[in-house]
Amino acid sequence: MKSLQRLQDALEQFIPANTISGLTKQFEDIAQIVFNGRYVVNGEYEIYPIDIEFYFHDEENKSIIEPRMYHKGDVPYFPVGAICPNRSGVDMTFEREGKYRASFLIRGYTYKSLVKDDEKTYTNKASQKLKEGEIDKFKPQYLWEDLFGNASIFENGLSIVWKDNENYSEVRIKSSARINVPLIEGEETDRMWRFTNLDADYQCKS
């Protein structure tokens, strides 16, 4: 039986809208798929994204630009599905050479062990809205450690594979402005490209 590849298909077949509102709808649709899957690390545990932010930069026409995007300009294009660690956390990319850069940044996730007799499950996520002067408790290093830091490079090395959930179910999603991204010049409102799975607790327990 062929394995499910909903997320792979969605990212490989992505044709970006030419408006912010159009992209917002497309990104929410992708978020639904992301929230119906997980990363499996070395067959030992799973990482479920529950809070993600999208970034998009039009390289061809510069019609929609992303000033805060790390991976753009005169740098090689990543293949679809590449994992890119950076100082903000970990991105999963879907770029098209000569056309655009696109990715989603994982702002929150749930860790779930697959090891027999180990029922460890915990969640790390950024705050929804920080109070003035408050420092977010979420650190990018948490995901670096959980995604990359638990395997030897000898023998079988590190394996990170995306798996779509067998049973797809629509979840409730909250959209909000991205963290630490100021209003972009020429735009009247923030891009509501942060998507949070409001059903994450129920999903991970089921």
Side-chain angles (χ1 to χ4, degrees), residues 151-205:
S152 170
I153 61 171
F154 301 121
E155 297 182 1
N156 294 327
L158 174 64
S159 169
I160 304 172
V161 180
W162 176 264
K163 294 288 186 182
D164 293 298
N165 294 346
E166 291 293 331
N167 298 316
Y168 179 92
S169 60
E170 294 260 324
V171 300
R172 293 175 300 137
I173 290 178
K174 176 182 179 179
S175 63
S176 56
R178 298 171 296 179
I179 297 175
N180 297 327
V181 178
L183 183 65
I184 294 173
E185 185 177 354
E187 298 183 11
E188 296 181 356
T189 59
D190 289 316
R191 297 177 183 177
M192 306 296 279
W193 288 357
R194 180 183 180 188
F195 300 96
T196 305
N197 180 359
L198 300 180
D199 295 324
D201 290 344
Y202 169 78
Q203 277 185 306
C204 291
K205 290 177 182 177

Side-chain angles (χ1 to χ4, degrees), residues 5 28 189:
Q5 52 183 49
E28 183 169 358
T189 59

Side-chain angles (χ1 to χ4, degrees), residues 6-18:
R6 284 188 295 261
L7 182 57
Q8 181 179 343
D9 289 344
L11 300 186
E12 288 180 345
Q13 297 169 14
F14 180 71
I15 300 176
N18 57 10

Side-chain angles (χ1 to χ4, degrees), residues 26 29 41 46 49 51 64 75 100 105 142 153 166 199:
Q26 289 180 306
D29 290 343
V41 184
E46 299 170 324
D51 189 353
I64 297 175
V75 293
Y100 61 82
L105 172 69
Y142 298 159
I153 61 171
E166 291 293 331
D199 295 324

Side-chain angles (χ1 to χ4, degrees), residues 74-97:
D74 190 23
V75 293
Y77 284 79
F78 284 133
V80 173
I83 294 177
C84 177
N86 52 64
R87 62 180 177 269
S88 295
V90 177
D91 280 290
M92 187 165 179
T93 68
F94 50 110
E95 307 182 343
R96 189 174 297 274
E97 187 164 357

